[in-house]
Amino acid sequence: MTTAQISQPNPQSTTHVLYLHGFRSSPQSTKARRMASLIASQFPHISWWCPQLPPSPKAAAALILKGTANWPAERMAVIGSSLGGFYATWLAARRGCKAVLLNPAIDPARDLAKYIGEQSAWHDPAERFYFAPEFVDELRALEVGALSHPQRIWALIAKGDEVLDWREMTARYPDSHQVVMEGGDHAISDFDDHLPQLLNFLDLQPAP
């Protein structure tokens, strides 16, 4: 085999992946568990982190920044679902990293204002948390404008999302890669069908 035929790893391939769940969700969500399983089985050398995010957006942001402080921006990627997509957009703006957005929340300060009070966790209704009034202002503090690297964003958007408006989602990322599904739902029940495109965007390489 000649030198030209030897497959060299892409120096910009993703080596670290962060998954951020949505409001009332957790690392036990279907998509989070599917990605965790896939990374573990096919890309065990990739650093994977899916933290339980605290209800406070300020605390969530601090946790995310601390946990990824030593990750290389050019080789890390964040996947965010719903509210996690809002956080992922904020992190991508700060770090310039790749981001995969799954039905991302566009204006959670507006949308979650009506949820102030005690809430139950989606995957364990017995688990309760309090969404405080100041959390709305904390969300506003994390809002970012136009992205400097829109080409490093890949958004999966369902027109049938029963929670968020797909038009807002597509308008928020006009210069980014978008897959807009006819129908579908907020949970992206056909998530597996989109994994090939998602993985291609992340550019995860097999172990050397």
Side-chain angles (χ1 to χ4, degrees):
M1 179 180 290
T2 65
T3 303
Q5 293 174 308
I6 297 176
S7 177
Q8 297 291 341
N10 182 347
Q12 298 303 314
S13 62
T14 300
T15 57
H16 296 67
V17 178
L18 168 68
Y19 189 100
L20 302 175
H21 63 75
F23 183 65
R24 295 178 57 218
S25 191
S26 76
Q28 296 305 309
S29 76
T30 301
K31 295 188 294 297
R33 287 189 289 108
R34 180 69 179 96
M35 285 302 306
S37 174
L38 190 151
I39 296 291
S41 62
Q42 297 187 29
F43 307 97
H45 58 293
I46 299 291
S47 295
W48 165 263
W49 186 39
C50 180
Q52 176 67 57
L53 299 175
S56 161
K58 182 178 180 180
L63 175 68
I64 292 165
L65 287 181
K66 182 178 180 180
T68 61
N70 295 322
W71 287 17
E74 70 281 359
R75 303 196 69 174
M76 65 178 273
V78 55
I79 303 172
S81 174
S82 195
L83 178 59
F86 173 80
Y87 290 147
T89 300
W90 161 79
L91 184 63
R94 284 185 66 104
R95 301 292 306 275
C97 62
K98 283 186 175 181
V100 169
L101 310 177
L102 309 173
N103 281 336
I106 304 305
D107 191 351
R110 174 199 66 197
D111 297 339
L112 295 181
K114 59 180 174 287
Y115 289 95
I116 291 171
E118 187 176 82
Q119 301 293 331
S120 61
W122 180 260
H123 299 100
D124 181 6
E127 183 180 329
R128 316 289 291 186
F129 68 92
Y130 186 72
F131 190 75
E134 59 267 27
F135 293 171
V136 173
D137 290 330
E138 291 179 7
L139 285 168
R140 289 200 182 98
L142 297 176
E143 292 174 355
V144 296
L147 299 170
S148 301
H149 305 284
Q151 75 282 1
R152 295 180 69 79
I153 300 285
W154 187 87
L156 181 58
I157 298 165
K159 287 187 176 181
D161 190 319
E162 69 279 12
V163 177
L164 301 171
D165 188 340
W166 69 272
R167 299 171 191 85
E168 279 195 333
M169 290 187 263
T170 56
R172 175 67 178 91
Y173 306 96
D175 300 316
S176 300
H177 309 281
Q178 295 186 10
V179 175
V180 182
M181 299 177 282
E182 295 293 336
D185 54 21
H186 185 66
I188 310 181
S189 299
D190 61 345
F191 183 58
D192 275 17
D193 294 344
H194 305 281
L195 279 176
Q197 287 189 73
L198 187 158
L199 294 175
N200 182 64
F201 175 76
L202 289 182
D203 190 23
L204 301 179
Q205 299 294 322

